[in-house]
Amino acid sequence: MAKAKTAQSKVLIVAKRDDPKIWVPLGESFEKLGYTPVFAFYQYSKDHEKYANELRFEDQEAVEYEKIIIKVNKTTLETVKKEVNLEEEIPRFEKEYSIHSMRFFCLTEFINYNKTYEEVLLEALVTERVIKPYILKEKQLKFIVHSQGTEILRSVIHVIGRAKKIPNIYFDNSWFMDRIFLQSNQMNLLDEYRPIPYNKIGKNDLKLIKEIKDGISQHKKRYVYFIEKKKDVFSLAYTYLLSSKYKRQSRRLLREFYSKYTLNFKSFLKNFYINKIIGKKLKKDDKYFYFPIHYVFDSQITYRAQLFFRQEYLMEYIAWNLPHGYKLYVKLHPGVKREETFQFINFVKDLDNVVLLKSNTNSHHILEDENCKAVITINSSVGFESLMYNKPVITLGKFYGIHHEKTIINILPEELRETLTSVLQYKYTEKDFLAALYSIYNATYEGTFYPLIDDPDVLAASLIEKYEFMIKNKILY
């Protein structure tokens, strides 16, 4: 449990595109631990403004908390636009905030949130104007916390904080139930990660990681977005209701229902074309490596692995380097839009050793197939899932800075052919994968964030623990 600090110590909680109401309990939890919360609220609409103005701590109804209002409504953006020369601001932002290419970097932002490139830059300018004076002036501010996402706004706040040596902490759910990743850098690397050999894992920890591994394998539907059959839905619901944590898991069940019946509806034409016309089923005679295609405008590619933005060329490169007699199985990301589907199909169809799977193929079914020898990925979470099925993962991106001998293999593209060959030659045991999984687990913290903060006390304590870890180890990116 994190230690309480003096009441003067402050933590800045940045509430970006979320409903401000969800952040208040987290602020109250920080107060219990001796930190004064300061909220930075983005106001995109009158509703956001109303929420921010009305909210008070439940146990101090007469006292308003300290808040910073960042107005990014249409009127504010138009005002800023008249005051600045955007063409001059672009090179300044690229230099000052270490953004490689402003226009390319904004892809994630305006594609996902239906915003124009200009709107994203204006939001960043407003953020800079409001946040920068506060961070530079406030002497009691100890650290800043954000959720993941909205990369350009996150970069602005990160660099401003770093200039004053104030840590930024980003939080996102990990791949383990009720555990969270806490990152302090813009590349999402895990500061705490260290590869731990099997013989260094304690008896109780080994028992825990075995239970986690067996549990995910047995209840694999809980860890994917799409539910393929009604009987799976009812089976999953039954499992949840039997659990002591049914409330939390029910939220995840609702998210899976949303994914099934809303997201699939939006991409009906894509799925019909892939599943009924051109997509293939798993073949029992094929020996293959599996490449899950990333969402095209995910910041894991647009920002953290720009070299692989055009994944069709990467698939071709992998196909060139496959050992004799092996194929590359690929599957579209559920979020890929219809127009991007044809982009991949038109390219992949001419590669004789690449197989485009039906998009409703469950990745877990691929991973448990003995003919699947390994997963090749940039930064996909399927790489983590492969470890559950005793399959090594070859990563070409940062992959959270995770690596483990023979099982999580981070390489340069030119090392691919040699790596694929060595994977086929190495005799793996379950101990290799238990060690890799435990090493990742050991770098997580207790808590959850998405879709809701289930226990704000736990999350606040973990964020403070992370801050203390950074101070102790002098980590400041």
Side-chain angles (χ1 to χ4, degrees):
M1 177 64 70
K3 297 178 182 179
K5 300 293 181 182
T6 65
Q8 290 183 326
S9 297
K10 293 183 178 181
V11 54
L12 178 61
I13 301 173
V14 182
K16 287 175 275 196
R17 287 186 165 87
D18 306 295
D19 183 340
K21 287 186 292 186
I22 71 173
W23 296 97
V24 173
L26 181 61
E28 292 175 330
S29 296
F30 273 119
E31 263 207 326
K32 295 175 187 176
L33 293 169
Y35 280 84
T36 300
V38 180
F39 292 85
F41 286 132
Y42 278 82
Q43 288 185 3
Y44 292 89
S45 64
K46 290 184 178 179
D47 284 340
H48 275 89
E49 185 173 359
K50 179 182 177 183
Y51 292 148
N53 288 335
E54 291 181 353
L55 288 176
R56 292 177 172 84
F57 290 128
E58 292 179 3
D59 57 347
Q60 297 178 348
E61 293 185 0
V63 181
E64 273 199 15
Y65 54 77
E66 187 176 358
K67 58 181 178 285
I68 303 167
I69 305 299
I70 307 170
K71 294 185 178 181
V72 285
N73 53 42
K74 186 176 181 180
T75 302
T76 304
L77 296 183
E78 286 296 327
T79 301
V80 174
K81 184 178 178 181
K82 293 176 182 177
E83 295 175 356
V84 301
N85 184 328
L86 291 181
E87 291 304 314
E88 292 179 358
E89 290 298 318
I90 291 173
R92 180 182 73 82
F93 256 70
E94 289 180 346
K95 180 179 180 181
E96 190 165 341
Y97 297 108
S98 304
I99 298 171
H100 307 302
S101 169
M102 193 71 175
R103 192 171 299 276
F104 192 61
F105 183 59
C106 285
L107 276 174
T108 300
E109 305 292 330
F110 71 74
I111 290 294
N112 283 341
Y113 298 104
N114 298 315
K115 292 182 177 292
T116 65
Y117 167 70
E118 185 178 88
E119 285 175 325
V120 174
L121 179 55
L122 287 171
E123 285 184 18
L125 283 168
V126 173
T127 298
E128 180 187 50
R129 287 185 174 193
V130 178
I131 288 283
K132 192 172 185 177
Y134 176 82
I135 292 177
L136 296 181
K137 179 186 69 174
E138 180 53 65
K139 295 181 180 180
Q140 299 302 330
L141 182 61
K142 299 304 180 184
F143 62 104
I144 304 167
V145 300
H146 324 229
S147 61
Q148 295 284 18
T150 52
E151 300 293 340
I152 192 167
L153 304 182
R154 164 178 162 171
S155 285
V156 169
I157 297 170
H158 182 101
V159 174
I160 294 171
R162 185 176 62 191
K164 199 180 173 185
K165 296 185 178 180
I166 296 175
N168 282 257
I169 302 174
Y170 311 101
F171 49 96
D172 195 13
N173 283 355
S174 77
W175 303 312
F176 299 96
M177 185 76 78
D178 304 325
R179 304 292 295 183
I180 201 165
F181 284 145
L182 296 180
Q183 293 129 342
S184 61
N185 56 81
Q186 292 168 292
M187 300 308 290
N188 285 352
L189 307 181
L190 299 178
D191 301 314
E192 296 83 357
Y193 179 81
R194 301 290 183 275
I196 301 171
Y198 180 84
N199 59 6
K200 297 295 183 180
I201 304 175
K203 184 177 180 180
N204 291 336
D205 290 333
L206 183 59
K207 180 181 178 182
L208 171 66
I209 208 67
K210 282 183 177 180
E211 289 175 352
I212 291 173
K213 184 173 182 291
D214 293 342
I216 292 180
S217 298
Q218 292 171 12
H219 303 291
K220 55 197 170 196
K221 294 293 182 182
R222 288 163 45 184
Y223 294 84
V224 294
Y225 285 108
F226 291 89
I227 303 172
E228 297 169 11
K229 298 177 182 178
K230 289 183 179 179
K231 66 179 182 180
D232 293 324
V233 175
F234 292 117
S235 174
L236 182 61
Y238 180 71
T239 301
Y240 285 167
L241 291 173
L242 289 179
S243 169
S244 60
K245 298 179 179 179
Y246 70 91
K247 289 183 179 179
R248 180 176 307 158
Q249 294 174 344
S250 294
R251 295 190 188 109
R252 300 187 182 196
L253 179 62
L254 289 173
R255 186 174 71 176
E256 295 193 23
F257 268 106
Y258 172 81
S259 299
K260 171 67 177 178
Y261 296 108
T262 303
L263 298 184
N264 270 6
F265 177 75
K266 290 180 179 180
S267 56
F268 170 76
L269 291 178
K270 177 202 75 175
N271 288 335
F272 180 83
Y273 186 69
I274 296 291
N275 296 331
K276 303 299 182 182
I277 300 176
I278 196 168
K280 307 296 184 184
K281 293 183 178 181
L282 295 174
K283 291 185 178 180
K284 62 180 181 180
D285 296 328
D286 282 352
K287 294 182 294 183
Y288 60 91
F289 294 88
Y290 175 42
F291 177 77
I293 298 173
H294 292 61
Y295 178 54
V296 179
F297 294 106
D298 191 332
S299 58
Q300 294 286 20
I301 298 177
T302 61
Y303 179 47
R304 298 183 182 89
Q306 294 179 1
L307 178 64
F308 307 114
F309 179 68
R310 295 301 296 267
Q311 294 177 78
E312 60 268 37
Y313 298 136
L314 175 58
M315 287 184 277
E316 182 180 39
Y317 179 75
I318 296 172
W320 290 345
N321 286 276
L322 291 175
H324 179 71
Y326 283 83
K327 293 184 177 181
L328 180 67
Y329 274 33
V330 303
K331 188 172 81 73
L332 289 169
H333 188 282
V336 173
K337 298 179 177 64
R338 181 165 54 90
E339 57 271 21
E340 294 142 11
T341 299
F342 294 105
Q343 170 188 323
F344 285 120
I345 290 172
N346 292 333
F347 196 92
V348 170
K349 69 181 183 180
D350 296 325
L351 303 174
D352 59 1
N353 57 348
V354 177
V355 177
L356 180 66
L357 293 169
K358 294 178 180 291
S359 58
N360 60 5
T361 306
N362 190 324
S363 284
H364 289 264
H365 296 161
I366 301 170
L367 297 174
E368 64 187 359
D369 182 4
E370 62 180 12
N371 288 327
C372 176
K373 302 304 178 183
V375 170
I376 304 170
T377 183
I378 303 171
N379 280 314
S380 173
S381 60
V382 177
F384 165 77
E385 293 166 353
S386 71
L387 301 174
M388 297 293 176
Y389 294 92
N390 297 341
K391 300 286 170 63
V393 55
I394 300 166
T395 67
L396 295 162
K398 299 292 184 181
F399 201 63
Y400 300 92
I402 296 171
H403 60 281
H404 207 282
E405 186 180 10
K406 303 297 183 182
T407 51
I408 308 173
I409 312 164
N410 191 263
I411 64 169
L412 297 172
E414 57 266 30
E415 299 171 327
L416 181 60
R417 179 58 183 264
E418 180 182 351
T419 303
L420 294 176
T421 302
S422 65
V423 163
L424 294 176
Q425 293 174 346
Y426 185 74
K427 302 298 183 183
Y428 288 95
T429 68
E430 188 178 28
K431 292 181 180 180
D432 296 315
F433 298 97
L434 288 170
L437 288 168
Y438 178 72
S439 298
I440 300 172
Y441 184 88
N442 200 50
T444 64
Y445 288 79
E446 189 177 0
T448 58
F449 169 67
Y450 186 83
L452 293 172
I453 300 175
D454 292 325
D455 191 333
D457 288 349
V458 169
L459 179 57
S462 290
L463 287 164
I464 295 172
E465 184 182 348
K466 171 70 175 185
Y467 163 67
E468 293 174 343
F469 173 85
M470 293 178 66
I471 296 301
K472 179 181 178 180
N473 293 278
K474 299 179 180 180
I475 297 172
L476 184 65
Y477 290 91

